[in-house]
Amino acid sequence: MPDFPRLISKYGIDMKNLKMKKDMCEILKLLEQTCSKQKSKERKELTEALDEYVNDAECLSRCLRPLEMMKKKNSLLSADSESLFRVLLQVQNLQADIVGLLLLKIPEHAEDENEGAETFSENLPRLLISQLRWLPFVEDGSNLVTQLLECMNACPRHIQKEIVSAIPEIADDTQQYQVVTALEELLESDTEMSVVVFDCFSQLDLIPEHANKVTDLALEALPSVALSDLPVVLRFLLQGSSKSSVERVVKAVRTDIELPRKPSKEESAHV
């Protein structure tokens, strides 16, 4: 098996020092040429070497750290840089492989975030999820969301919340049905996910059909939702419901929500 740092160095990426030694556009062009559909052997060699490299947690964390971009005379640019994973995700014929690898690693490191430390390497699940946010392009959005939702189901609750929170920045409008269906099932199995799920829904530009379905879910949850969770559910109902649902939403809010009140002086005197 080829040594990954040596292999990726041919494209201008120095994994030892976490630096780009070529222009970003040049690096992407070289990777695109090597990973074209006509060069499946070279692409397989690169992905298999990466897969072996990231089996080590420290090596995985290095792939998540920003790479320093350099000028010709080795002076650092002030512009923000990308991690190795973010670079590879911008290569059309590599993207699916990198997405699969990232999502495979999230459940593997699901407990790392609970160790209490704030260092980079001990927040691997959150960092792995962040690689998929706001990609410049998505080659197969349906497959990405399908894999993301499958990954979510394999994770403990605290990671599920991170994934749900990231969905509006990962999925596009064409995956609304997948997202709404999966989150509905999640709500049915775990009502403690209500806040993060409805917060996610409030950030999606739902079409009327899906907005009505989610409104129904929110109205069903309203009578039993914890008081501390109520603002998020109400925000969705008031902002995300379709015009045709406004009347029944207002009626349900008036009927189903019983807010605590301060007892009167007479009531307090009898306590």
Side-chain angles (χ1 to χ4, degrees):
M1 176 67 68
D3 174 52
F4 180 74
R6 179 186 59 78
L7 198 58
I8 200 69
S9 68
K10 296 190 298 183
Y11 304 94
I13 296 177
D14 178 359
M15 289 305 297
K16 181 179 179 180
N17 298 301
L18 295 179
K19 292 180 179 179
M20 293 184 186
K21 294 190 172 182
K22 296 180 185 291
D23 179 77
M24 176 74 159
C25 293
E26 187 179 354
I27 290 173
L28 290 174
K29 183 177 179 180
L30 290 171
L31 285 165
E32 288 282 7
Q33 291 172 350
T34 298
C35 299
S36 65
K37 292 181 179 180
Q38 291 76 28
K39 297 184 177 181
S40 58
K41 181 179 178 181
E42 289 86 347
R43 185 170 73 251
K44 183 179 180 182
E45 180 183 47
L46 184 63
T47 55
E48 287 182 350
L50 175 61
D51 187 56
E52 182 176 292
Y53 180 68
V54 298
N55 279 334
D56 179 85
E58 177 56 32
C59 292
L60 176 60
S61 73
R62 293 182 72 79
C63 295
L64 294 163
R65 296 173 185 168
L67 297 166
E68 292 182 354
M69 299 174 65
M70 300 184 70
K71 293 181 179 179
K72 292 182 180 179
K73 295 183 179 180
N74 295 337
S75 59
L76 297 181
L77 290 172
S78 59
D80 292 337
S81 188
E82 301 275 32
S83 68
L84 173 75
F85 279 131
R86 290 283 297 185
V87 172
L88 298 180
L89 282 166
Q90 295 179 57
V91 181
Q92 184 177 6
N93 291 316
L94 274 181
Q95 190 179 85
D97 292 324
I98 304 304
V99 166
L101 180 58
L102 288 167
L103 295 177
L104 183 66
K105 292 298 175 183
I106 293 171
E108 284 184 19
H109 296 275
E111 299 306 322
D112 291 5
E113 196 182 36
N114 280 338
E115 295 180 4
E118 295 298 325
T119 58
F120 194 101
S121 62
E122 289 178 322
N123 287 289
L124 288 176
R126 183 177 298 178
L127 293 165
L128 287 161
I129 296 166
S130 72
Q131 303 302 297
L132 300 173
R133 283 181 151 106
W134 303 120
L135 290 175
F137 73 92
V138 176
E139 182 67 14
D140 187 345
S142 178
N143 188 52
L144 188 159
V145 171
T146 297
Q147 290 185 75
L148 181 68
L149 296 173
E150 289 173 353
C151 172
M152 179 183 72
N153 290 331
C155 291
R157 182 186 291 153
H158 68 286
I159 302 300
Q160 288 182 331
K161 289 181 178 180
E162 295 284 351
I163 292 174
V164 173
S165 296
I167 284 175
E169 298 167 1
I170 296 175
D172 63 33
D173 290 344
T174 62
Q175 280 88 53
Q176 282 189 13
Y177 177 78
Q178 286 177 274
V179 170
V180 171
T181 302
L183 295 188
E184 179 183 8
E185 293 173 356
L186 184 62
L187 274 178
E188 290 174 353
S189 64
D190 188 353
T191 56
E192 290 191 27
M193 295 291 290
S194 295
V195 169
V196 70
V197 167
F198 285 111
D199 187 52
C200 172
F201 283 143
S202 69
Q203 297 179 60
L204 298 174
D205 186 18
L206 297 171
I207 62 173
E209 178 186 354
H210 296 149
N212 288 335
K213 184 175 184 179
V214 176
T215 297
D216 290 339
L217 293 175
L219 292 176
E220 289 173 12
L222 203 55
S224 58
V225 72
L227 189 61
S228 59
D229 299 342
L230 196 55
V232 174
V233 180
L234 284 177
R235 183 178 68 180
F236 169 76
L237 285 171
L238 297 175
Q239 296 180 358
S241 301
S242 61
K243 292 182 180 180
S244 60
S245 302
V246 171
E247 186 175 340
R248 66 190 180 102
V249 166
V250 172
K251 183 179 179 180
V253 169
R254 288 175 173 171
T255 304
D256 295 332
I257 296 179
E258 186 175 344
L259 296 175
R261 63 183 180 85
K262 185 177 180 179
S264 64
K265 291 181 179 179
E266 291 79 8
E267 289 173 329
S268 299
H270 290 292
V271 175

